[in-house]
Structures are given as structure tokens and as C-alpha cells.
């Protein structure tokens, strides 16, 4: 049999644990990484905390606000060294890469950031309004996905 203690080493020179143990569990097998992650809600909470720090201001880039998006967004590929994947409910207006395309009217778009580690996944939604852009001075419609300079000769 195996002899073991909680808080006490099997080797005499080692010091005993001086703290308190609130609880412990004994399993009849070695757990996989996924089983360990799923066994405690604190792992999911820690993953979700990573997304809390990401705000709409972080992704706006050259845009004044989320209600007036005219230019490409800056959607980070990583967050605290965790890969971020992005989806858009209207990719023809704002792509998952943050590329903004002019349409024929103002459009509400929901972007979703997803981070995954092992068996755990966390998401956060960002709502932005893509404004339809026209130039009334010249009668020309142009894309607002990046700043445009028009030079008249």
C-alpha cells in the first residue's frame, strides 16, 4: 500500500505544512486536465475575469464611440496570453477581423469575443453601430473603413 499524509511529508527532513486545509477530495483515478478544470467553478470564473478587462474603448481604434463606427476596429488576437476569436452577427458590415464596410444604411452589429482554454470557454459581446457614410459636398459615396483624403486639382 501507499502511505501518505495531508500536510505531512513522508520524508523526515521535510517540514510539515503549517496552514489549515478547508477541504479536500480523493479520487479513484488520475484526472485529466479537462476534468480538473470542470471540477471547480473557480477555473471558469478566472477565465471570465480575463474578458472583464476588455472594454469597447479597447477595440474602437480611430472611432469616436461604439455608436458611431466608421473606421476599422482593433480586435485583439490575444488577451493575457490567451487566444481570442471574434465573430460578427453581420460580417458583411463588420468582419471578424474588425474590417468595416460601408452599407446602404446605419447598422447595429454584435461582435463576440471568445477565449478558450482546455474544456473551458468564455464569451463577451460588444454592440457597435456602423454609420452609413456619404460625402454630400461632392455627391460621392465612399467607404468609411479607413480615413480618406480627397484632393481636388
Amino acid at each position: 500500500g501507499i502511505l501518505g499524509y495531508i500536510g505531512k511529508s513522508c520524508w523526515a527532513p521535510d517540514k510539515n505544512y503549517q496552514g489549515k486545509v478547508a477541504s479536500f477530495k480523493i479520487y479513484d483515478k488520475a484526472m485529466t486536465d479537462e476534468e480538473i478544470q470542470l471540477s471547480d467553478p473557480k477555473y471558469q470564473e478566472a477565465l471570465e475575469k480575463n474578458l472583464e478587462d476588455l472594454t469597447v474603448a479597447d477595440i474602437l481604434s480611430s472611432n469616436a464611440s461604439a455608436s458611431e463606427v466608421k473606421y476599422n476596429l482593433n480586435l485583439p488576437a490575444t488577451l493575457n496570453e490567451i487566444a481570442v476569436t471574434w465573430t460578427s452577427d453581420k460580417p458583411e458590415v463588420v468582419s471578424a477581423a474588425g474590417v468595416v464596410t460601408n452599407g446602404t444604411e446605419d447598422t447595429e452589429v454584435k461582435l463576440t469575443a471568445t477565449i478558450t482554454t482546455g474544456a473551458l470557454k468564455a464569451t463577451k459581446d460588444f454592440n457597435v453601430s456602423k454609420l452609413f457614410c456619404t460625402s454630400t459636398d461632392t455627391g460621392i459615396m465612399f467607404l468609411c473603413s479607413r480615413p480618406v483624403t480627397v484632393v481636388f486639382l
Side-chain angles (χ1 to χ4, degrees):
I2 297 175
L3 178 63
Y5 302 94
I6 296 173
K8 180 179 178 185
S9 175
C10 292
W11 290 270
D14 292 345
K15 293 182 178 181
N16 291 339
Y17 176 67
Q18 298 297 314
K20 294 181 180 181
V21 177
S23 68
F24 67 93
K25 295 178 183 180
I26 298 174
Y27 296 90
D28 62 353
K29 65 175 186 159
M31 295 175 70
T32 66
D33 289 343
E34 288 80 17
E35 289 172 325
I36 292 169
Q37 287 179 328
L38 296 172
S39 71
D40 190 342
K42 290 180 183 175
Y43 291 111
Q44 180 68 33
E45 291 167 10
L47 186 64
E48 290 170 359
K49 178 136 179 47
N50 283 291
L51 280 176
E52 285 178 16
D53 295 335
L54 184 61
T55 67
V56 72
D58 297 326
I59 67 171
L60 286 178
S61 191
S62 299
N63 295 288
S65 73
S67 62
E68 298 179 359
V69 171
K70 298 177 183 178
Y71 310 111
N72 291 345
L73 299 171
N74 180 27
L75 305 180
T78 60
L79 185 61
N80 299 327
E81 299 182 18
I82 301 172
V84 180
T85 56
W86 290 88
T87 56
S88 170
D89 70 339
K90 295 183 180 75
E92 68 281 2
V93 178
V94 179
S95 75
V99 176
V100 175
T101 305
N102 199 24
T104 58
E105 61 188 4
D106 294 356
T107 308
E108 296 287 326
V109 179
K110 181 172 74 173
L111 296 167
T112 302
T114 303
I115 56 175
T116 305
T117 179
L120 302 177
K121 178 167 59 169
T123 62
K124 183 173 182 178
D125 293 334
F126 297 90
N127 294 308
V128 298
S129 296
K130 166 62 185 96
L131 295 184
F132 173 65
C133 300
T134 60
S135 173
T136 56
D137 293 338
T138 62
I140 305 169
M141 182 171 49
F142 61 91
L143 294 180
C144 293
S145 60
R146 64 187 187 293
V148 175
T149 301
V150 179
V151 178
F152 294 97
L153 302 175

